Structures are given as structure tokens and as C-alpha cells.
Amino acid sequence: MDYTPYKLYNYKVKSGEDVFSIAKRLFLNEFKIKELNKLDGYTGLKAGQVLVLSNAYARNTILYIDKNHISSSPDSL
């Protein structure tokens, strides 16, 4: 039985990308990208290189913010 709380998928690196830019654009954790792909560092990726990414991080959480209240649920506003 698979207890992984997220799904993995392949991502093809584009020219000029590094782990930080991929993480920021896709709302992922850069440490998890590094760990999943057994990378030594955060730079040095090559265009066309295939990385394994997770889809479970910030995509599943929406943060609602106003000046006086921070909540992760719109029902609490």
C-alpha cells in the first residue's frame, strides 16, 4: 500500500532554470526538489534534464489575508 501523501511527476528543465526558480514558479519546496532528485546543489541544472517533482505543497493551501486577520480558511473571515 502506498502511503505517500502526494503524487510525483516528471518535469523537464528549461534553459536558465535552477531549483529556486522552479520551486518559486510552481509553488514547491526547494529542499524537497533537491531531496527527491538527489541533487548536490541548487544550481547547475541543464536544459532538458528531467526532475521528479511533487504536487502536494502550496498548491493545496490558500492563504486569505486582510490587515487584521490571517486565516487558511475563507469561512473564518
Side-chain angles (χ1 to χ4, degrees):
M1 182 170 270
D2 182 15
Y3 291 101
T4 306
Y6 51 83
K7 301 241 185 243
L8 300 175
Y9 64 97
N10 291 331
Y11 175 83
K12 189 181 278 191
V13 176
K14 296 171 185 67
S15 179
E17 288 186 316
D18 60 21
V19 173
F20 293 112
S21 65
I22 294 168
K24 182 177 179 180
R25 189 167 50 78
L26 299 176
F27 304 105
L28 299 174
N29 181 299
E30 64 272 9
F31 302 108
K32 191 65 174 175
I33 294 172
K34 186 178 171 199
E35 177 185 53
L36 283 171
N37 293 281
K38 299 177 176 74
L39 300 174
D40 292 328
Y42 295 99
T43 60
L45 299 178
K46 295 178 174 46
Q49 181 177 348
V50 177
L51 299 177
V52 175
L53 301 180
S54 161
N55 66 353
Y57 294 98
R59 293 181 185 186
N60 295 332
T61 303
I62 298 174
L63 184 65
Y64 298 90
I65 301 174
D66 71 22
K67 285 193 226 178
N68 301 313
H69 187 78
I70 297 177
S71 173
S72 60
S73 171
D75 298 332
S76 64
L77 292 177

